Amino acid sequence: MKKVFETKTINNFSHKYANGKLCLMVDLELYIWLQNAPSLTRFFAEIVVPYLYSYKFYSITGEMPFGERSHGSEGVGEAMKEIFNVNDVLAAGRLLYYVVHNNKYRGHHLCPCGSGKNIRNCHAKILKEFFDFSTYEYKLVEE
């Protein structure tokens, strides 16, 4: 997972961890973004630059220009609801659980979101994307 740290102090901004790591987005969102656009140039242009713009805008106006997520698990839940296009964090959690605990897409199964529909008629597109991600080979190096 790509990480960005500050080298000078960004004051009074809650989207930064105590260790200096910038809170660019929820890790699951970043993982999905990286699967679709793994270029370092695009990462800076589409993720880091808007983050720095938001910081500057916030330092002048006290408002976030693009909105913001809640902090902690509430923000993760908001991201999961958006990713899976559901209104309930429990439905999003069931969809994520399905991806983690199944090694294959099965469209004839009932959708874990709770709609009562088969997956192929409900959340097929996003679930297929998650299963496609698992076919990528990569090496993650933690520092």
Side-chain angles (χ1 to χ4, degrees):
M1 187 73 64
K2 290 179 172 39
K3 296 177 184 176
V4 178
F5 291 85
E6 68 170 322
T7 58
K8 294 186 178 181
T9 303
I10 294 178
N11 294 320
N12 301 321
F13 195 56
S14 61
H15 297 280
K16 180 185 72 161
Y17 296 99
N19 67 358
K21 178 185 165 199
L22 305 182
C23 181
L24 301 172
M25 60 178 55
V26 172
D27 285 345
L28 182 59
E29 290 175 300
L30 186 55
Y31 175 78
I32 292 168
W33 188 90
L34 289 169
Q35 296 302 317
N36 293 311
S39 154
L40 187 59
T41 303
R42 286 190 61 198
F43 175 71
F44 273 94
E46 296 176 19
I47 305 296
V48 178
V49 169
Y51 174 93
L52 296 172
Y53 173 82
S54 294
Y55 166 69
K56 185 64 173 176
F57 188 90
Y58 180 83
S59 69
I60 294 169
T61 67
E63 296 182 13
M64 295 294 288
F66 308 119
E68 63 181 316
R69 294 212 187 282
S70 300
H71 294 113
S73 59
E74 189 175 341
V76 172
E78 292 166 1
M80 286 178 47
K81 289 188 325 186
E82 187 176 306
I83 289 165
F84 289 113
N85 194 27
V86 294
N87 294 323
D88 177 15
V89 72
L90 294 176
R94 288 190 302 268
L95 287 158
L96 187 58
Y97 183 89
Y98 179 85
V99 171
V100 170
H101 292 282
N102 290 278
N103 58 1
K104 186 176 175 184
Y105 167 80
R106 300 182 191 283
H108 63 283
H109 286 184
L110 284 178
C111 189
C113 76
S115 67
K117 299 177 184 178
N118 288 345
I119 291 173
R120 74 172 61 92
N121 297 321
C122 198
H123 284 93
K125 182 179 180 203
I126 187 66
L127 291 176
K128 282 181 182 179
E129 286 180 23
F130 272 98
F131 284 108
D132 288 346
F133 292 159
S134 67
T135 63
Y136 286 99
E137 289 190 28
Y138 56 89
K139 182 178 180 182
L140 181 62
V141 177
E142 292 289 333
E143 294 182 21

mmCIF file of all heavy atoms in Angstrom, residues 5-24:
data_model
loop_
_atom_site.group_PDB
_atom_site.id
_atom_site.type_symbol
_atom_site.label_atom_id
_atom_site.label_comp_id
_atom_site.label_asym_id
_atom_site.label_seq_id
_atom_site.Cartn_x
_atom_site.Cartn_y
_atom_site.Cartn_z
ATOM 1 N N PHE A 5 4.071 10.506 3.767
ATOM 2 C CA PHE A 5 4.340 11.119 5.061
ATOM 3 C C PHE A 5 4.707 12.576 4.850
ATOM 4 O O PHE A 5 5.304 12.935 3.829
ATOM 5 C CB PHE A 5 5.488 10.406 5.782
ATOM 6 C CG PHE A 5 5.139 9.021 6.229
ATOM 7 C CD1 PHE A 5 5.268 7.951 5.357
ATOM 8 C CD2 PHE A 5 4.677 8.789 7.511
ATOM 9 C CE1 PHE A 5 4.936 6.665 5.761
ATOM 10 C CE2 PHE A 5 4.347 7.511 7.933
ATOM 11 C CZ PHE A 5 4.483 6.452 7.052
ATOM 12 N N GLU A 6 4.386 13.420 5.827
ATOM 13 C CA GLU A 6 4.775 14.820 5.744
ATOM 14 C C GLU A 6 6.232 14.975 6.165
ATOM 15 O O GLU A 6 6.749 14.200 6.958
ATOM 16 C CB GLU A 6 3.876 15.676 6.622
ATOM 17 C CG GLU A 6 4.066 15.417 8.102
ATOM 18 C CD GLU A 6 3.363 16.430 8.962
ATOM 19 O OE1 GLU A 6 3.342 17.614 8.599
ATOM 20 O OE2 GLU A 6 2.858 16.032 10.011
ATOM 21 N N THR A 7 6.896 15.971 5.606
ATOM 22 C CA THR A 7 8.268 16.265 6.014
ATOM 23 C C THR A 7 8.338 17.587 6.773
ATOM 24 O O THR A 7 9.328 17.879 7.405
ATOM 25 C CB THR A 7 9.206 16.323 4.803
ATOM 26 O OG1 THR A 7 8.731 17.311 3.892
ATOM 27 C CG2 THR A 7 9.293 14.968 4.122
ATOM 28 N N LYS A 8 7.297 18.392 6.660
ATOM 29 C CA LYS A 8 7.165 19.619 7.441
ATOM 30 C C LYS A 8 5.826 19.535 8.151
ATOM 31 O O LYS A 8 4.950 18.808 7.752
ATOM 32 C CB LYS A 8 7.209 20.849 6.536
ATOM 33 C CG LYS A 8 8.561 21.039 5.870
ATOM 34 C CD LYS A 8 8.609 22.330 5.112
ATOM 35 C CE LYS A 8 9.988 22.491 4.509
ATOM 36 N NZ LYS A 8 10.122 23.723 3.779
ATOM 37 N N THR A 9 5.654 20.282 9.174
ATOM 38 C CA THR A 9 4.460 20.170 9.997
ATOM 39 C C THR A 9 3.232 20.741 9.296
ATOM 40 O O THR A 9 3.217 21.894 8.874
ATOM 41 C CB THR A 9 4.665 20.888 11.337
ATOM 42 O OG1 THR A 9 5.807 20.317 11.965
ATOM 43 C CG2 THR A 9 3.466 20.733 12.236
ATOM 44 N N ILE A 10 2.208 19.894 9.181
ATOM 45 C CA ILE A 10 0.886 20.327 8.742
ATOM 46 C C ILE A 10 0.087 20.498 10.024
ATOM 47 O O ILE A 10 -0.238 19.537 10.704
ATOM 48 C CB ILE A 10 0.234 19.286 7.810
ATOM 49 C CG1 ILE A 10 1.012 19.175 6.496
ATOM 50 C CG2 ILE A 10 -1.222 19.639 7.540
ATOM 51 C CD1 ILE A 10 0.476 18.141 5.529
ATOM 52 N N ASN A 11 -0.204 21.729 10.384
ATOM 53 C CA ASN A 11 -0.831 22.033 11.667
ATOM 54 C C ASN A 11 -2.347 21.994 11.595
ATOM 55 O O ASN A 11 -2.945 22.310 10.575
ATOM 56 C CB ASN A 11 -0.397 23.423 12.151
ATOM 57 C CG ASN A 11 1.082 23.462 12.464
ATOM 58 O OD1 ASN A 11 1.629 22.523 13.032
ATOM 59 N ND2 ASN A 11 1.728 24.543 12.078
ATOM 60 N N ASN A 12 -2.959 21.630 12.711
ATOM 61 C CA ASN A 12 -4.406 21.716 12.899
ATOM 62 C C ASN A 12 -5.189 21.074 11.758
ATOM 63 O O ASN A 12 -6.146 21.646 11.253
ATOM 64 C CB ASN A 12 -4.839 23.178 13.071
ATOM 65 C CG ASN A 12 -4.165 23.821 14.251
ATOM 66 O OD1 ASN A 12 -3.995 23.192 15.296
ATOM 67 N ND2 ASN A 12 -3.765 25.066 14.093
ATOM 68 N N PHE A 13 -4.790 19.908 11.348
ATOM 69 C CA PHE A 13 -5.476 19.207 10.267
ATOM 70 C C PHE A 13 -5.679 17.773 10.717
ATOM 71 O O PHE A 13 -4.723 17.060 10.996
ATOM 72 C CB PHE A 13 -4.647 19.271 8.986
ATOM 73 C CG PHE A 13 -5.412 18.909 7.747
ATOM 74 C CD1 PHE A 13 -6.573 19.585 7.409
ATOM 75 C CD2 PHE A 13 -4.960 17.911 6.914
ATOM 76 C CE1 PHE A 13 -7.269 19.270 6.253
ATOM 77 C CE2 PHE A 13 -5.650 17.583 5.763
ATOM 78 C CZ PHE A 13 -6.809 18.262 5.418
ATOM 79 N N SER A 14 -6.915 17.354 10.819
ATOM 80 C CA SER A 14 -7.221 16.057 11.408
ATOM 81 C C SER A 14 -7.033 14.872 10.462
ATOM 82 O O SER A 14 -7.232 13.743 10.860
ATOM 83 C CB SER A 14 -8.661 16.063 11.934
ATOM 84 O OG SER A 14 -9.557 16.295 10.873
ATOM 85 N N HIS A 15 -6.650 15.120 9.228
ATOM 86 C CA HIS A 15 -6.474 14.038 8.266
ATOM 87 C C HIS A 15 -5.003 13.638 8.132
ATOM 88 O O HIS A 15 -4.449 13.528 7.049
ATOM 89 C CB HIS A 15 -7.072 14.435 6.920
ATOM 90 C CG HIS A 15 -8.543 14.646 7.014
ATOM 91 N ND1 HIS A 15 -9.432 13.610 7.005
ATOM 92 C CD2 HIS A 15 -9.270 15.765 7.189
ATOM 93 C CE1 HIS A 15 -10.656 14.079 7.146
ATOM 94 N NE2 HIS A 15 -10.579 15.384 7.260
ATOM 95 N N LYS A 16 -4.422 13.417 9.308
ATOM 96 C CA LYS A 16 -3.022 13.021 9.397
ATOM 97 C C LYS A 16 -2.875 12.190 10.661
ATOM 98 O O LYS A 16 -3.431 12.517 11.702
ATOM 99 C CB LYS A 16 -2.146 14.276 9.476
ATOM 100 C CG LYS A 16 -0.669 14.010 9.566
ATOM 101 C CD LYS A 16 0.080 15.311 9.762
ATOM 102 C CE LYS A 16 -0.181 15.800 11.161
ATOM 103 N NZ LYS A 16 0.744 16.754 11.687
ATOM 104 N N TYR A 17 -2.149 11.094 10.558
ATOM 105 C CA TYR A 17 -1.923 10.232 11.711
ATOM 106 C C TYR A 17 -0.798 10.787 12.574
ATOM 107 O O TYR A 17 0.003 11.598 12.119
ATOM 108 C CB TYR A 17 -1.580 8.807 11.255
ATOM 109 C CG TYR A 17 -2.701 8.139 10.523
ATOM 110 C CD1 TYR A 17 -2.722 8.082 9.131
ATOM 111 C CD2 TYR A 17 -3.755 7.551 11.207
ATOM 112 C CE1 TYR A 17 -3.755 7.469 8.448
ATOM 113 C CE2 TYR A 17 -4.795 6.936 10.540
ATOM 114 C CZ TYR A 17 -4.790 6.895 9.156
ATOM 115 O OH TYR A 17 -5.820 6.294 8.485
ATOM 116 N N ALA A 18 -0.729 10.324 13.807
ATOM 117 C CA ALA A 18 0.283 10.794 14.748
ATOM 118 C C ALA A 18 1.703 10.557 14.236
ATOM 119 O O ALA A 18 2.618 11.322 14.534
ATOM 120 C CB ALA A 18 0.097 10.121 16.110
ATOM 121 N N ASN A 19 1.911 9.489 13.437
ATOM 122 C CA ASN A 19 3.245 9.188 12.920
ATOM 123 C C ASN A 19 3.604 10.015 11.687
ATOM 124 O O ASN A 19 4.656 9.827 11.101
ATOM 125 C CB ASN A 19 3.379 7.696 12.617
ATOM 126 C CG ASN A 19 2.503 7.242 11.461
ATOM 127 O OD1 ASN A 19 1.740 8.015 10.883
ATOM 128 N ND2 ASN A 19 2.598 5.966 11.129
ATOM 129 N N GLY A 20 2.710 10.931 11.271
ATOM 130 C CA GLY A 20 2.977 11.781 10.110
ATOM 131 C C GLY A 20 2.398 11.268 8.815
ATOM 132 O O GLY A 20 2.399 11.976 7.810
ATOM 133 N N LYS A 21 1.878 10.048 8.796
ATOM 134 C CA LYS A 21 1.264 9.495 7.586
ATOM 135 C C LYS A 21 0.001 10.285 7.268
ATOM 136 O O LYS A 21 -0.804 10.568 8.145
ATOM 137 C CB LYS A 21 0.918 8.018 7.786
ATOM 138 C CG LYS A 21 0.226 7.386 6.600
ATOM 139 C CD LYS A 21 -0.189 5.955 6.915
ATOM 140 C CE LYS A 21 -1.172 5.469 5.890
ATOM 141 N NZ LYS A 21 -1.936 4.327 6.350
ATOM 142 N N LEU A 22 -0.151 10.657 6.005
ATOM 143 C CA LEU A 22 -1.322 11.403 5.591
ATOM 144 C C LEU A 22 -2.500 10.458 5.399
ATOM 145 O O LEU A 22 -2.359 9.376 4.831
ATOM 146 C CB LEU A 22 -1.037 12.152 4.287
ATOM 147 C CG LEU A 22 0.171 13.073 4.285
ATOM 148 C CD1 LEU A 22 0.299 13.778 2.945
ATOM 149 C CD2 LEU A 22 0.105 14.070 5.423
ATOM 150 N N CYS A 23 -3.659 10.867 5.862
ATOM 151 C CA CYS A 23 -4.883 10.076 5.696
ATOM 152 C C CYS A 23 -5.501 10.454 4.359
ATOM 153 O O CYS A 23 -6.338 11.351 4.268
ATOM 154 C CB CYS A 23 -5.841 10.341 6.854
ATOM 155 S SG CYS A 23 -7.353 9.382 6.745
ATOM 156 N N LEU A 24 -5.058 9.793 3.313
ATOM 157 C CA LEU A 24 -5.482 10.127 1.957
ATOM 158 C C LEU A 24 -6.892 9.633 1.660
ATOM 159 O O LEU A 24 -7.650 10.294 0.963
ATOM 160 C CB LEU A 24 -4.505 9.531 0.946
ATOM 161 C CG LEU A 24 -3.056 9.995 1.093
ATOM 162 C CD1 LEU A 24 -2.142 9.204 0.185
ATOM 163 C CD2 LEU A 24 -2.947 11.485 0.813
#
